[in-house]
């Protein structure tokens, strides 16, 4: 395997094979050897490159897929854009297109890019290609780069003007000829006002290339900034052709690239086009981003920005979204954040957080979505390791075959990290406790960039803090949970007609308090109707109905559905869509130890006011209360219900919500959007808060992690 | 009663939804594991929320073992025929002969034009389809010496290099309802692939359509048995009967057996994006229909 620090990029061209299976074998071998690209061009009478690469995408994990020699006179660019978007999402962001030069190639580049810009509704285009209102999309998984292949002046000009890369047409051509063409390219780039590092410069080599050619090739790197070498192989190539090239030639080319980089002529990650760079936010050191982070970062001019910028409920416009792929990347991201204390910092696992602090305006976001592995560590102990970027729906799916589940919240699209560092009040909570009650250990990156493990045995104070206030202490890169054996469950959706909301709340409270632990009902209501979604953690239909009956009798039912289903089916009930929140969410949380008549009356007035459009009670108690308050930083073990209200206008909501505050024993931060210190004080009782602050002063004295609910007494720096 | 004596095949018709990204692929894997014969995806290149169908087929083919795959049906106006032929042949060889070619003349012309496709009248689109089939078969035919030349009204190739040859002869199954294109199927097609829900006169249309196909086939000296009769079907498994293909699996078995024996339908392609439906179809319907039809055929041998 080539080291990840390799600068020069290697490819293999498999388009000349007549046997497609042999071609795929070479692609798989190239991936194993650490090559960066597999490339194929269609020819008359030969294999279809797109089919070959699409198949290869399903048989490989990482290697880039270059569909070369695409003739836009034959394949319509709008259809090609669709196919490329598809292959890019199926293959997880690995596609590059290379167009044949032609009179309309530059126009095709424009059309392709417009077809991927999903922030517009329709694409109209007049010219060589007429588009009469085509729907843009699918959105590729990454910025698909477009190369132009060919040696003639037209190809060079189109590449320099419009493309992201250029590839020499003839393999193994005379290097002096190649040098002349590349001079032409450099000149055309200068004329177009572009930085040469914006362009991938690719040379295809015959399989006869070897150690004797090393110096010639190295000079192409140092003199002409060639970024990528593609070795063309077919059935007749030596069996060790790829291996030898990687071993004998690539290291020297890499040295040459290192040299070119110090001269500012080589960029380890292709530089973005000028029009994209123009949208950058001042004050962020984009060019100082380490290559590993730059490779996957998203910035305002990027294709992925429209679907990355916002979270579930909050509109955002971050200046840079970092998407670490490894723990080392997270360490680098934290170091980068340290250099950017003047802009907000959001940490995102799933982007579902109600406060919306996983996006911001003009700041950094560290998006942990790629750290989403789910791994069973010890089947006997039901010990499972989960990355912060996994979604709970995926966790549920992964555990189902074992007959296991880990309770989370009420929606499978939520990410693991934000929930599992705070609490996790879900449908299995009364039976099995909070999500954090299952935690055995975490691996974290702290504010100073160090990595630590915290568990009952190691760093127990941090382990205590992570379970309820984790967001203030660092970034968890791995959670280890002991999960529960969970059979199929009863799942009920009951809709009620509500004449008297206060009375309904009182009866609901009484029914839940009397209910066995298996039953965890959540209530959503307004002033005239109510919906209860309840899980009964047993697969015995009679028992399910028996436990639900007291709840079903609270008020007249207008609709009811009860099924026995796997827990994973409940978590996967609602599909995922890209987060496109707008504006600022207004959400309030409160915890109550019981539903008193006074609380019910005040709640009914809130519902009647019309100030909130969402009002939910989550049942707690049961196993949650089995844990002593001092065990975890989430200390409200006596709470019987968690109340959430959402509205549009903070003042209107608070006018009524403030009437309820006297009933609360605390709040749960994950449903609160008011980040003021007062809320933090309500979330953590005084002894807990002072204990957290002491640890905060030790582990994050400068308050790097400050943009959600800040634990520092005198918060420094800006908040989002 | 018409029965062309074809081996029965059962498949699914899967929405090529791009979100969740791998849902359609997973449905193909489900069909493959459940033992179905065929997975098909609709092809509407103008719909952005769908995957590109032939990209999806390639990816799904690489993730499955036994099942055959095709578009249902390929939108010819947006798919250049020579490239389509090379794509099908490449995938057919990669997959060990598991690719078929469902083909359609095109329908939603505004949508086709929105993507830069040429707007054709129905008659023209059928002429274009006939030319395309010649080019496709010409590309696949590597036994004939010399390049491929066709000076068509819609597609032209001059001395095009033939190949690659597919691993098996992919069936060209054409989506059609009206007489003119049915006659085209009779002359040059390998299969007729309508959807039950769009049949103008319900199942009777299967008989009248087949009669047109058979007559056209015979007029050019073909055996009507060279043309498979396929059918896309929509249904729902339910505990009690609520209508055609809406009821328990036993009811489905009876209804599909009847279609097979009455109209000679030999490929049933069920619209399903759902694992349970696909598995019930594969395990409780397909084998039973096969068995019933075999029993009837044995009892009453037909040509």
């Amino acid at each position: 395997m080539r080291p990840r620090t390799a600068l020069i990029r290697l490819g293999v061209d498999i388009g000349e094979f007549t046997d497609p299976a042999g071609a795929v074998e070479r692609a798989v071998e190239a991936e194993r050897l650490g090559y960066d690209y597999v490339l194929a061009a269609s020819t008359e009478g030969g294999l279809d490159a797109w089919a070959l690469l699409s198949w290869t995408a399903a048989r490989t994990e990482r290697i880039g897929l270059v569909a070369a020699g695409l003739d836009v006179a034959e394949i319509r660019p709008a259809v090609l854009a669709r196919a490329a978007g598809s292959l890019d999402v199926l293959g997880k962001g690995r596609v590059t297109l290379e167009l044949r030069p032609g009179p309309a190639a530059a126009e095709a580049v424009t059309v392709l890019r417009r077809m991927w810009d999903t922030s517009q509704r329709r694409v109209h285009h007049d010219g060589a290609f007429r588009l009469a209102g085509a729907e843009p999309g699918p959105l590729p998984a990454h910025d698909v780069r477009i190369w132009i292949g060919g040696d003639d002046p037209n190809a060079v000009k189109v590449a320099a003007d419009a493309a992201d890369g250029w590839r020499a047409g003839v393999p193994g051509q005379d290097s002096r000829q190649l040098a002349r063409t590349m001079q032409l390219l450099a000149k055309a780039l200068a004329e177009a006002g572009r930085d040469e590092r914006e362009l991938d410069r690719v040379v295809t080599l015959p399989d006869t290339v070897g150690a004797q050619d090393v110096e010639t090739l190295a000079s192409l790197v140092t003199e002409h900034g060639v970024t990528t070498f593609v070795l063309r192989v077919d059935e007749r190539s030596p069996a060790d052709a790829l291996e030898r090239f990687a071993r004998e030639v690539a290291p020297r080319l890499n040295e040459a690239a290192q040299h070119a980089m110090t001269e500012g002529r080589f960029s380890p990650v292709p530089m973005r086009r000028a029009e994209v760079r123009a949208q950058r936010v001042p004050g962020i050191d984009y060019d100082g981003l380490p290559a590993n982070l730059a490779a996957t970062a998203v910035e305002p001019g990027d294709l992925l920005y429209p679907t990355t910028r916002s979270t579930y409920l909050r509109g955002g416009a971050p200046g840079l979204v970092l998407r670490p792929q490894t723990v080392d990347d997270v360490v680098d991201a934290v170091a980068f954040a340290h250099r950017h204390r003047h802009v907000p910092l959001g940490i995102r696992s799933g982007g579902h957080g109600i406060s919306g602090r996983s996006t911001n305006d003009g700041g950094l976001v560290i998006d942990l979505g790629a750290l989403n592995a789910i791994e069973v560590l010890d089947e006997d102990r039901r010990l499972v390791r989960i990355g912060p970027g996994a979604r709970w729906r995926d966790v549920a799916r992964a555990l189902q075959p074992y007959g296991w589940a880990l309770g989370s919240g009420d929606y499978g699209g939520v990410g693991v990290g934000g929930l599992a560092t705070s609490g996790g009040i879900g449908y299995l909570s009364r039976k099995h406790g909070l999500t954090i009650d299952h935690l055995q250990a975490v691996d974290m990156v702290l504010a100073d960039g160090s990595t630590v493990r915290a568990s009952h045995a190691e760093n127990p104070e941090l382990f205590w803090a992570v379970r309820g206030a984790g967001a203030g202490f660092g970034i968890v890169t791995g959670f280890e949970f002991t999960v529960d054996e969970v059979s199929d469950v009863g799942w009920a959706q009951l809709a009620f007609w509500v004449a008297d909301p206060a009375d309904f709340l009182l009866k609901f409270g009484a029914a839940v308090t009397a209910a066995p632990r298996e039953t965890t009902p959540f209530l959503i209501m307004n002033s005239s109707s109510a919906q209860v979604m309840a899980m009964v953690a047993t697969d015995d239909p009679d028992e399910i109905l028996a436990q639900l009956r007291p709840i079903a009798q609270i008020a007249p039912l207008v609709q009811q559905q009860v099924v026995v289903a796997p827990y994973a089916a409940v978590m996967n009930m609602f599909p995922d869509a890209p987060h496109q929140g707008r504006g600022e969410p207004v959400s309030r949380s409160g915890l109550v130890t019981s539903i008193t008549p006074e609380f019910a009356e005040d709640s009914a007035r809130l519902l009647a006011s019309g100030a909130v459009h969402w009002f939910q009670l989550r049942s707690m108690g049961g196993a949650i209360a089995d844990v002593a308050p001092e065990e975890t930083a989430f200390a409200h073990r006596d709470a019987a219900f968690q109340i959430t209200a959402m509205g549009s206008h903070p003042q209107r909501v608070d006018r009524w919500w403030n009437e309820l505050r006297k009933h609360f024993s605390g709040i749960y931060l994950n449903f609160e959007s008011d980040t003021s210190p007062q809320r933090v004080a309500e979330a953590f009782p005084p002894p807990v808060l002072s204990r957290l602050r002491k640890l905060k002063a030790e582990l994050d004295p400068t308050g790097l992690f400050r943009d959600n609910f800040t634990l520092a007494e005198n918060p420094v720096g800006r908040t989002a | 009663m018409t029965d062309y004596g074809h081996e029965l095949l059962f498949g699914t018709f899967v929405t090529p939804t791009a979100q969740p990204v791998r849902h359609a692929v997973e449905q193909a894997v489900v069909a493959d594991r459940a033992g179905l014969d065929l997975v098909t995806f609709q092809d509407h290149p103008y719909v952005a929320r769908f995957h590109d169908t032939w990209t999806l087929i390639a990816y799904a083919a690489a993730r499955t073992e036994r099942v055959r795959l095709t578009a249902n049906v390929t939108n010819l106006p947006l798919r250049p025929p020579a490239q389509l032929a090379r794509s099908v042949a490449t995938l057919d060889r990669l997959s060990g002969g598991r690719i078929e070619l469902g083909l359609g003349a095109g329908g939603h012309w505004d949508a086709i034009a929105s993507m830069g496709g040429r707007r054709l009248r129905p008659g023209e689109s059928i002429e274009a389809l006939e030319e395309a089939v010649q080019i496709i078969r010409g590309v696949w035919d590597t036994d004939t010496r010399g390049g491929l030349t066709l000076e068509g009204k819609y597609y032209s190739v001059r001395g095009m290099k033939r190949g690659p040859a597919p691993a098996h002869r992919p069936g060209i199954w054409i989506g059609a309802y009206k007489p003119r294109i049915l006659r085209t199927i009779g002359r040059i097609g390998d299969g007729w692939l309508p959807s039950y829900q769009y049949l103008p006169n319900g199942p009777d249309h299967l008989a009248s359509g087949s009669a047109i196909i058979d007559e056209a086939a015979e007029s050019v000296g073909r055996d009507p048995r060279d043309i498979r009769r396929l059918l896309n079907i929509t249904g729902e498994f339910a505990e009690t009967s609520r209508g055609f293909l809406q009821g328990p699996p036993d009811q489905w078995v009876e209804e599909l057996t009847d279609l097979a024996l009455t109209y000679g339908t030999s490929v049933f392609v069920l619209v399903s994006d759902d694992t349970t439906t696909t598995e019930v179809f594969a395990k409780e319907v397909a084998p039973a229909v096969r068995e019933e039809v075999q029993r009837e055929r044995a009892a009453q041998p037909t040509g």
Side-chain angles (χ1 to χ4, degrees):
Chain A
M1 190 80 180
R2 293 173 75 219
R4 199 163 170 247
T5 50
L7 295 173
I8 211 77
R9 299 185 276 282
L10 303 185
V12 55
D13 176 357
I14 57 170
E16 295 289 302
F17 273 86
T18 51
D19 163 32
V24 174
E25 262 173 49
R26 280 298 198 179
V28 171
E29 184 199 359
E31 174 164 275
R32 187 163 31 94
L33 291 170
Y35 277 60
D36 301 283
Y37 297 110
V38 50
L39 177 148
S42 298
T43 50
E44 266 186 27
L47 298 174
D48 179 64
W50 197 268
L52 189 58
L53 292 171
S54 302
W55 177 284
T56 301
R59 294 289 174 98
T60 52
E61 291 290 328
R62 181 197 55 77
I63 198 163
L65 308 159
V66 187
L70 296 163
D71 182 359
V72 290
E74 190 188 9
I75 311 164
R76 289 173 185 82
V79 181
L80 176 60
R82 201 79 93 206
S86 252
L87 184 55
D88 204 54
V89 293
L90 285 168
K92 299 185 184 167
R94 297 194 272 149
V95 173
T96 297
L97 303 181
E98 185 209 274
L99 309 185
R100 258 185 233 175
E107 208 179 320
V109 173
T110 307
V111 170
L112 285 164
R113 290 198 185 123
R114 290 187 59 203
M115 284 296 292
W116 294 324
D117 178 3
T118 52
S119 65
Q120 21 153 33
R121 279 177 47 78
R122 297 275 174 183
V123 181
H124 291 271
H125 184 86
D126 259 323
F129 317 102
R130 293 177 66 87
L131 300 193
E135 295 177 12
L139 178 69
H142 85 310
D143 271 81
V144 174
R145 295 176 71 79
I146 305 171
W147 297 350
I148 301 290
D151 301 313
D152 61 274
N154 169 50
V156 168
K157 169 119 177 61
V158 175
D161 284 349
D164 304 304
W166 170 83
R167 184 168 71 109
V170 185
Q173 63 181 296
D174 178 80
S175 63
R176 272 166 308 185
Q177 174 59 39
L178 191 58
R180 273 196 293 277
T181 312
M182 298 207 63
Q183 274 163 4
L184 209 62
L185 180 68
K187 192 161 159 274
L189 276 167
E191 276 166 17
R194 297 181 69 189
D195 190 305
E196 60 180 338
R197 288 170 296 181
E198 292 176 30
L199 230 62
D200 300 319
R201 275 151 292 178
V202 188
V203 172
T204 307
L205 304 169
D207 62 5
T208 51
V209 74
Q212 71 281 1
D213 304 303
V214 162
E215 289 317 312
T216 316
L217 299 178
S219 74
L220 286 174
V221 178
T222 46
E223 308 284 316
H224 302 291
V226 168
T227 60
T228 308
F229 290 94
V230 175
L231 194 64
R232 175 176 282 189
V233 294
D234 61 21
E235 279 92 345
R236 296 176 298 276
S237 299
D240 64 348
L242 294 183
E243 195 267 324
R244 269 189 45 215
F245 185 72
R247 183 164 41 87
E248 291 177 6
V249 183
R252 176 69 188 92
L253 300 178
N254 219 33
E255 278 168 31
Q258 191 77 49
H259 180 73
M261 193 165 75
T262 55
E263 291 186 346
R265 304 205 50 202
F266 190 100
S267 167
V269 173
M271 191 180 269
R272 285 172 168 78
R273 295 191 304 281
E275 80 246 29
V276 175
R277 297 202 307 274
Q279 297 186 51
R280 289 177 163 183
V281 172
I284 295 178
D285 179 19
Y286 294 91
D287 294 327
L289 203 56
N292 52 329
L293 290 173
T296 53
V298 178
E299 52 178 81
D302 288 351
L303 214 50
L304 298 190
Y305 190 72
T307 50
T308 308
R309 58 187 297 176
S310 296
T311 60
Y312 175 57
L313 287 177
R314 188 179 187 219
L320 180 62
V321 180
L322 302 176
R323 302 193 298 165
Q325 308 290 304
T326 64
V327 174
D328 288 344
D329 289 354
V330 175
V331 171
D332 290 344
V334 167
F336 191 79
H338 258 295
R339 297 201 281 115
H340 291 80
R341 296 299 299 267
H342 52 287
V343 296
L345 171 65
I347 313 296
R348 180 185 298 176
S349 45
H352 211 274
I354 300 299
S355 72
R357 261 57 206 173
S358 61
T359 190
N360 53 49
D361 195 358
L364 306 182
V365 170
I366 299 176
D367 183 332
L368 304 165
L371 302 179
N372 61 354
I374 303 167
E375 186 192 353
V376 174
L377 295 180
D378 184 336
E379 201 165 336
D380 292 334
R381 292 168 58 208
R382 299 193 301 274
L383 187 65
V384 179
R385 186 179 169 87
I386 305 176
R391 308 291 179 118
W392 288 107
R393 71 166 78 251
D394 301 319
V395 175
R397 260 202 209 123
L399 300 185
Q400 188 188 348
Y402 297 88
W404 302 344
L406 171 57
S408 50
D410 65 355
Y411 175 63
V414 172
V416 166
L419 184 144
T421 46
S422 197
I425 305 167
Y427 287 128
L428 291 173
S429 287
R430 280 168 50 82
K431 169 81 172 164
H432 293 295
L434 299 173
T435 308
I436 56 169
D437 298 339
H438 295 77
L439 205 50
Q440 301 302 323
V442 291
D443 288 307
M444 286 182 83
V445 176
L446 300 179
D448 66 359
S450 61
T451 55
V452 297
R453 187 172 169 83
S455 65
H456 290 290
E458 288 170 83
N459 299 303
E461 186 70 359
L462 177 58
F463 188 56
W464 166 81
V466 161
R467 290 172 293 160
F473 293 93
I475 296 175
V476 177
T477 53
F479 294 87
E480 290 176 17
F481 295 103
T482 305
V483 302
D484 301 302
E485 279 183 317
V486 175
S487 63
D488 280 2
V489 295
W491 170 245
Q493 291 170 279
L494 311 173
F496 299 89
W497 181 72
V498 174
D500 179 347
D503 179 58
F504 186 92
L505 274 168
L506 266 179
K507 287 178 174 159
F508 178 76
V512 173
T513 309
R517 290 183 166 206
E518 282 76 26
T519 294
T520 305
F522 288 5
L523 164 68
I524 299 161
M525 71 182 293
N526 59 34
S527 57
S528 62
S529 67
Q531 196 185 14
V532 170
M533 305 216 235
M535 187 171 287
V536 187
T538 168
D539 57 2
D540 175 353
D542 295 333
E543 185 60 30
I544 291 166
L545 292 178
Q547 293 201 17
L548 289 170
R549 199 163 296 124
I551 297 165
Q553 287 165 351
I554 296 175
L557 275 173
V558 290
Q559 219 175 349
Q560 56 170 316
Q561 196 199 1
V562 184
V563 295
V564 179
Y567 176 77
V570 178
M571 280 297 112
N572 282 280
M573 225 168 12
F574 303 104
D576 250 344
H579 288 159
Q580 306 207 309
R582 283 171 190 223
E584 283 289 329
V586 180
S587 180
R588 297 290 176 262
S589 162
L591 296 163
V592 295
T593 53
S594 68
I595 293 183
T596 61
E598 297 76 21
F599 168 78
E601 287 299 334
D602 287 339
S603 295
R605 272 192 286 274
L606 168 78
L607 292 174
S609 74
V612 301
H613 56 70
W614 169 266
F615 184 78
Q616 186 194 39
L617 273 79
R618 294 188 176 206
S619 305
M620 296 175 66
I624 298 173
D626 293 348
V627 177
E630 59 276 12
E631 278 283 305
T632 63
F634 176 88
H636 302 289
R637 295 289 172 174
D638 56 350
F641 295 95
Q642 197 289 140
I643 326 291
T644 309
M646 291 192 213
S648 313
H649 305 285
Q651 290 84 1
R652 273 190 77 203
V653 173
D654 283 336
R655 188 180 146 213
W656 299 97
W657 187 255
N658 286 337
E659 298 297 315
L660 267 71
R661 289 192 189 278
K662 57 181 175 287
H663 305 294
F664 298 150
S665 58
I667 72 166
Y668 177 56
L669 283 183
N670 279 20
F671 293 121
E672 180 62 58
S673 64
D674 173 5
T675 56
S676 67
Q678 201 185 333
R679 297 289 92 81
V680 176
E682 288 161 2
F684 304 109
V688 174
L689 188 57
S690 59
R691 198 173 154 187
L692 288 171
R693 282 182 171 157
K694 189 159 163 275
L695 189 65
K696 177 80 173 174
E698 202 181 303
L699 298 181
D700 185 15
T702 66
L704 178 70
F705 300 109
R706 67 197 179 279
D707 284 310
N708 205 336
F709 296 91
T710 183
L711 291 168
E713 235 157 321
N714 301 301
V716 285
R718 250 176 76 178
T719 52
Chain B
M1 178 140 164
T2 318
D3 182 358
Y4 300 91
H6 294 133
E7 174 207 5
L8 292 192
L9 301 178
F10 295 84
T12 52
F13 178 95
V14 178
T15 310
T17 179
Q19 196 61 251
V21 171
R22 277 169 204 78
H23 187 263
V25 177
E26 283 160 17
Q27 288 304 307
V29 172
V30 165
D32 188 47
R33 290 198 183 139
L36 286 176
D37 308 292
L38 183 66
V39 171
T40 73
F41 302 99
Q42 46 187 312
D43 181 29
H44 297 292
Y46 31 78
V47 177
R49 64 178 190 281
F50 288 170
H51 277 303
D52 174 71
T53 297
W54 280 99
T55 304
L56 177 63
I57 288 171
Y59 194 93
R63 289 285 170 99
T64 49
E65 306 276 336
R66 303 170 12 268
V67 80
R68 303 190 212 178
L69 301 104
T70 183
N72 187 349
V73 287
T74 308
N75 188 290
L76 183 62
L78 290 172
R79 306 276 181 194
Q83 196 241 327
L84 178 62
R86 289 194 285 266
S87 169
V88 168
T90 301
L91 292 177
D92 198 51
R93 291 177 55 177
L94 279 167
S95 66
R98 294 194 281 127
I99 305 299
E100 312 290 346
L101 179 53
L103 204 54
H108 308 277
W109 295 104
D110 283 345
I112 289 165
S114 81
M115 295 288 283
R118 182 173 168 189
R119 202 184 283 271
L120 298 176
R121 284 194 291 273
E124 294 174 327
S125 74
I126 296 168
E127 286 171 24
L129 177 94
E130 296 196 7
E131 290 179 14
V133 170
Q134 284 185 57
I135 290 177
I136 290 164
R137 293 236 173 88
V139 168
W140 290 343
D141 175 14
T142 51
D143 293 335
T144 302
R145 296 179 72 88
L148 174 67
T149 296
L150 179 108
E151 297 281 350
K153 211 162 128 188
Y154 306 91
Y155 305 107
S156 291
V157 290
R158 287 172 202 89
M160 178 188 265
K161 207 172 161 195
R162 295 170 187 270
H168 87 306
R169 185 182 195 276
I172 297 183
W173 300 337
I174 298 170
Y177 300 92
K178 294 186 176 163
R180 182 164 173 192
I181 188 162
L182 290 170
R183 286 194 290 275
T184 299
I185 294 173
R187 281 186 285 106
I188 62 169
D190 300 316
W192 177 31
L193 177 49
S195 293
Y196 188 92
Q197 64 185 113
Y198 299 129
L199 293 172
N201 324 308
D204 286 351
H205 195 81
L206 293 175
S208 56
S210 269
I212 295 171
I213 290 171
D214 293 354
E215 195 189 319
E218 279 159 358
S219 76
V220 295
R222 295 182 79 199
D223 184 334
R225 282 179 300 189
D226 290 348
I227 300 149
R228 262 201 187 270
R229 317 300 150 125
L230 306 91
L231 190 62
N232 294 320
I233 53 174
T234 312
E236 205 182 333
F237 292 108
E239 278 175 29
T240 52
S241 176
R242 292 197 300 260
F244 179 71
L245 297 182
Q246 296 200 324
D250 287 354
Q251 179 196 328
W252 284 54
V253 172
E254 202 175 301
E255 287 166 347
L256 296 184
T257 303
D258 186 52
L259 285 178
L261 295 171
T262 311
Y263 303 107
T265 305
S266 63
V267 186
F268 294 103
V269 185
L270 174 65
V271 175
S272 171
D273 293 314
D274 166 73
T275 302
T276 311
T277 305
T278 298
E279 287 177 345
V280 172
F281 186 59
K283 298 196 162 109
E284 296 179 38
V285 177
V289 176
R290 233 179 230 127
E291 203 174 299
E292 283 292 309
V293 168
Q294 210 158 13
R295 197 193 342 261
E296 290 291 327
R297 280 178 180 168
Q300 192 180 11
T302 52

